[in-house]
Amino acid sequence: MKSAARPQRGQRVADQIQRDLAQMIQRELPSPRAGLITLTGVELTPDYAHAKVYFTVLGKDVATATQVLNHKAGHFHAVLFKRLSIHTVPRLVFVHDTSVEKGFAIDRLIAAAVATNAAGRDNDAVGGGAIDSASSDVGMDKGASAADVDATPRATRKREA
């Protein structure tokens, strides 16, 4: 039976593993070898046997950083075993987190859409828009202006339409 006094224990353990790994990586992994690594999250299996550690990297390619981190995973596991007071310390697998790059790509798309929308509004303001509001009135000739139509009696406009 699960205890109501300890909700979200798995998340707390994952957060602690992330904090401890971040300290170990900063102290024990040389930056020239793996680049600047940032841990973005840890996913634990319910039995705490396996953990996926998500990271981003600056300064090195992803494959090199992944190789270096997974090579040191056994060492990190041993140090975590000494630091954590839990029965099972998970086996670590480092996975590159692509959500940051996807976020930047979405941000670029939004910026492009806003710029396109702003350019479209600028074109509408100078009369170069796709729909000219003055000529879209019903019963108006392409050569007639909005003032000409307003000056024409209603009965005449209906017959012309």
Side-chain angles (χ1 to χ4, degrees), residues 14-31 37-39 42 53 69 72 75-76 79-80 83-84 94:
D15 290 344
Q16 185 62 46
I17 289 172
Q18 182 176 347
R19 283 191 295 272
D20 289 347
L21 281 174
Q23 289 174 353
M24 285 187 271
I25 289 170
Q26 181 181 5
R27 283 192 222 133
E28 299 176 18
L29 208 60
S31 291
I37 294 172
T38 303
L39 300 182
V42 174
V53 182
L69 287 169
K72 294 285 280 186
H75 171 71
F76 294 147
V79 175
L80 280 175
R83 283 188 180 191
L84 298 176
F94 290 89

Side-chain angles (χ1 to χ4, degrees), residues 92-117:
L92 303 172
V93 176
F94 290 89
V95 179
H96 182 250
D97 187 3
T98 59
S99 65
V100 174
E101 284 128 14
K102 288 179 183 177
F104 285 140
I106 290 171
D107 192 40
R108 284 191 298 270
L109 288 172
I110 290 171
V114 167
T116 303
N117 191 16

Side-chain angles (χ1 to χ4, degrees), residues 22 24-39 55-69 76:
M24 285 187 271
I25 289 170
Q26 181 181 5
R27 283 192 222 133
E28 299 176 18
L29 208 60
S31 291
R33 189 168 166 212
L36 181 63
I37 294 172
T38 303
L39 300 182
F55 72 94
T56 59
V57 64
L58 290 172
K60 288 287 180 180
D61 65 317
V62 174
T64 302
T66 304
Q67 181 184 10
V68 168
L69 287 169
F76 294 147

Side-chain angles (χ1 to χ4, degrees), residues 1-10 12 48:
M1 185 170 178
K2 290 191 176 185
S3 171
R6 292 198 172 264
Q8 304 290 330
R9 182 172 188 260
R12 288 195 315 271
Y48 301 150

